[in-house]
Amino acid sequence: MWLTRPLRERSTQLFLGVLFAALIVVTALHLLMPQDSALYVSSYTVTLLGKYLCYALLAVAVDLVWGYLGILSLGHGAFFALGGYAMGMYLMRQIGDRGVYGDPLLPDFMVFLNWQELPWYWQGFDMAWFAFIMVLLAPGLLALVFGFLAFRSRVTGVYLSIITQALTFALMLAFFRNEMGFGGNNGLTDFKDLLGFDLRTDATRLGLFLATGIALAIGYVVCRGIVTSKLGRVSVACRDAEARTRFLGYRVERVQLFVFVVSAMLAGVAGALYVPQVGIINPSEFSPLFSIEVVVWVALGGRATLYGAVIGAILVNYGKTVFTGIMPDAWLFALGGLFVLVTVFLPKGIAGLLFTRKKTKDEPTTPAQEATA
């Protein structure tokens, strides 16, 4: 089966081993260490690491379409935000009469704006199974419609990138409007519980962290299953020689559409896991700058490697956390300098450096090299 093939790869086994080991270590240090110990991992750190893992899953989704399909999407933040809003709507419905205004049906921001009834598109979000389906369906449907129109028209290259950026910018402007019914510029917040578990407890935060790690593992395996299958080989052919692939009889637009939709759904899952851990979702997640930043993560980590996208997302966001604490007024310059250094000295990203070292280690030594040594 195509989905089990990646589990036999050494690289996938190594990635999953490192990921699950990290999850176990963080859990153990959080639960078993005393709070005054230097090794203790606080609830704040657990939540922060969970956010990094959400970003890593989003980066894997972007790498799937950019690295293996050649589509530079500058709008994946839209799919991330749609998944986040679907989860946020469910969490808002769970508040019930515990809100500031005590309305059992309408969220607080609707009461404040004098809404008389719940909009039709909020119906069903009081049920977890419906909300979880919408986490996949909302970004997937948007990607399906957008991709069908774009790929059928054979829009490629920089033009496609600009259109994806325009898409997320248009959605950001729409969600900023109060009459849209999504909280306007304040977004959705003040969440209480998820599936009956209090979001403010340490146990729930740890559970969300572990769930995010498992989602990242599943998303990585799904992407590896795609890229190592025949579909993945055709995707690379579409990336490198689209005209020749069409000449051979492949329906390039169908391949592009399928991979694009899968990537969007993975981004939606990342957004859904992000919201309960951060505690808010607002239109800023649609920002084109955020989508561009995700592309930078992938480029720094190593395009067309998947695990490189994970490395880039975690390192860059950790760097942001460190630099904002050390140099709050100049952290952007420090982060920009890091980008420049990696681009100049590591054109294939961090994963490219690891691959080069592995290749050098595996190459046999020639007699001339032995004589020189």
Side-chain angles (χ1 to χ4, degrees), residues 128-148:
W129 65 268
F130 180 84
F132 296 160
I133 290 176
M134 293 305 297
V135 164
L136 296 172
L137 187 60
L141 186 59
L142 176 63
L144 180 65
V145 174
F146 174 83
F148 176 77

Side-chain angles (χ1 to χ4, degrees), residues 140-163:
L141 186 59
L142 176 63
L144 180 65
V145 174
F146 174 83
F148 176 77
L149 296 175
F151 302 143
R152 186 187 64 171
S153 303
R154 299 189 182 183
V155 180
T156 58
V158 65
Y159 302 103
L160 182 59
S161 299
I162 293 174
I163 293 175

Side-chain angles (χ1 to χ4, degrees), residues 253-372:
E253 61 275 5
R254 293 184 179 180
V255 174
Q256 292 173 329
L257 184 60
F258 177 81
V259 177
F260 191 69
V261 170
V262 171
S263 174
M265 295 171 72
L266 288 176
V269 172
L273 291 167
Y274 171 86
V275 169
Q277 297 183 82
V278 176
I280 188 173
I281 178 70
N282 57 43
S284 64
E285 302 299 338
F286 285 103
S287 171
L289 292 177
F290 175 64
S291 296
I292 295 173
E293 186 179 349
V294 178
V295 172
V296 172
W297 302 344
V298 177
L300 288 177
R303 178 187 170 196
T305 58
L306 295 182
Y307 64 86
V310 175
I311 295 173
I314 293 176
L315 286 183
V316 171
N317 285 283
Y318 174 74
K320 287 175 62 175
T321 302
V322 173
F323 291 146
T324 51
I326 297 177
M327 46 184 72
D329 296 328
W331 69 271
L332 279 174
F333 297 100
L335 200 59
L338 176 63
F339 293 162
V340 172
L341 289 175
V342 173
T343 302
V344 172
F345 295 103
L346 300 174
K348 294 185 179 181
I350 299 173
L353 175 63
L354 299 176
F355 178 78
T356 302
R357 287 187 174 182
K358 180 178 182 299
K359 184 177 179 181
T360 304
K361 183 179 179 180
D362 293 341
E363 286 180 351
T365 306
T366 63
Q369 291 174 331
E370 292 179 353
T372 303

